[in-house]
Amino acid sequence: MLERPRRLRQSSHLRKMVRETRMDKSSLIYPMFIKEGIGIVEEIPSMEGQYRYSIDKMSYKLEELAKAGVNSVMFFGIPNDKDHIGSGAAAQNGIVQEALREAKKRFPDMYFITDVCMCEYTSHGHCGLLKGTEVDNDSTLKALAQIALTHVQAGADMVAPSDMMDGRVRAIRSRLDENGYQNVPIMSYAVKYASSFYAPFRDAAGSAPSFGDRKSYQMDYHNRNEAIKEAILDVNEGADIIMVKPAMTYLDIVREVRDAVNVPVAAYSVSGEYAMVKSGAKLNCIDEEKVICEMATSVYRAGAGIYLTYFAEQIAGFMDKGYIG
């Protein structure tokens, strides 16, 4: 036989040499929950090993991440008070804004991204302003643009709108540009499906809708052509990075989007994926380390160049050990 694919699998050194998918710590982003209050390090029941931190306690985790080589963090804010219009989201003294100021002062070399949405701040738990019982797309755009602006003014290096309102990337880009922040990039949750995999996050952030669901603005998971449409629309509106969310069961979409756009593609391994791995490992059904490595590799193999994951710190360690990368 002239063709023997097994020739290139004969040693660890050779397998690494011809590896088609390569990963780097710089592509990892760790999602972090920041909660109003003092002295808080609070484990999230549905996400074993993940915590809510108050600003005075978040440095412990940021130091841990920096030592592991994970230098990019996405902040999600958990306020004490909520109202019908989510006013705390854009407050200059809001939880994310204050966390950014402290984090940039303590960790100037780290890169801070903020989730731009309203669901954690509204009393009804929806991602925008209501008109009756419907989320009103166009009035929400102004609110989102203002939230993004206050995040950047407080020190955000990048903003990431996750609301799924039509036109929000253009609204945010315009507001940032008008205020002199032309160089701040936008990572758009362009392809965000209405997924059951988000359930632990809603527990973590206290953001479950008080009525109805989010299917009128998040995508139907039966659709793939719509994903390409959403991605291209957001690129045309000024998105610098396109995100697909969730990751694990949407790798076909990651590949489709990668082929369709000329900007970097990110994938978010969401809370439900994390919880399933932790639960499966606890029951001794799976090898946690190996599954984490396989999941991460599959996302990069599908075409993503950026990986948002609660396992970021562990993955960085696995890279150091040569398990993946």
Side-chain angles (χ1 to χ4, degrees), residues 3-19:
E3 294 188 18
R4 290 182 181 269
R6 288 183 58 192
R7 288 194 192 106
L8 298 181
R9 303 173 193 157
Q10 297 307 302
S11 70
S12 173
H13 182 92
L14 183 55
R15 288 192 296 272
K16 289 180 181 178
M17 181 188 297
V18 301
R19 190 170 279 172

Side-chain angles (χ1 to χ4, degrees), residues 146-281:
Q146 184 61 23
I147 294 166
L149 177 61
T150 63
H151 286 183
V152 173
Q153 289 171 334
D157 297 296
M158 179 188 292
V159 291
S162 63
D163 54 283
M164 287 300 285
M165 298 299 114
D166 294 338
R168 90 278 204 196
V169 172
R170 186 183 301 278
I172 292 170
R173 182 75 273 157
S174 296
R175 183 67 64 88
L176 294 181
D177 290 359
E178 289 164 2
N179 286 272
Y181 296 107
Q182 295 91 340
N183 291 326
V184 174
I186 297 172
M187 176 165 61
S188 172
Y189 289 68
V191 184
K192 182 178 179 180
Y193 286 90
S195 172
S196 297
F197 284 93
Y198 303 151
F201 175 93
R202 291 171 184 169
D203 172 42
S207 62
S210 61
F211 66 90
D213 55 40
R214 295 179 177 146
K215 292 180 180 178
S216 68
Y217 42 103
Q218 295 179 0
M219 287 177 52
D220 183 344
Y221 61 75
H222 296 81
N223 297 352
R224 59 191 305 159
N225 290 335
E226 186 183 15
I228 307 307
K229 177 181 178 180
E230 287 278 9
I232 291 173
L233 280 171
D234 281 9
V235 170
N236 290 340
E237 289 182 12
D240 301 284
I241 300 170
I242 293 296
M243 186 199 298
V244 176
K245 181 183 179 184
M248 184 171 65
T249 53
Y250 294 84
L251 296 181
D252 59 321
I253 304 301
V254 172
R255 181 73 264 166
E256 295 267 6
V257 170
R258 171 65 283 161
D259 290 342
V261 301
N262 60 355
V263 299
V265 173
Y268 193 152
S269 181
V270 299
S271 56
E273 299 173 44
Y274 175 88
M276 287 197 305
V277 172
K278 298 300 287 188
S279 298

Side-chain angles (χ1 to χ4, degrees), residues 2-55:
L2 294 177
E3 294 188 18
R4 290 182 181 269
R6 288 183 58 192
R7 288 194 192 106
L8 298 181
R9 303 173 193 157
Q10 297 307 302
S11 70
S12 173
H13 182 92
L14 183 55
R15 288 192 296 272
K16 289 180 181 178
M17 181 188 297
V18 301
R19 190 170 279 172
E20 297 175 22
T21 303
R22 298 186 184 275
M23 295 165 273
D24 186 86
K25 292 181 185 180
S26 63
S27 65
L28 297 170
I29 300 173
Y30 178 72
M32 190 169 174
F33 300 98
I34 310 297
K35 184 175 181 178
E36 277 192 295
I38 298 173
I40 299 170
V41 180
E42 184 176 84
E43 188 169 29
I44 300 164
S46 56
M47 298 177 68
E48 181 185 348
Q50 298 301 309
Y51 296 82
R52 305 178 189 95
Y53 300 91
S54 54
I55 292 174

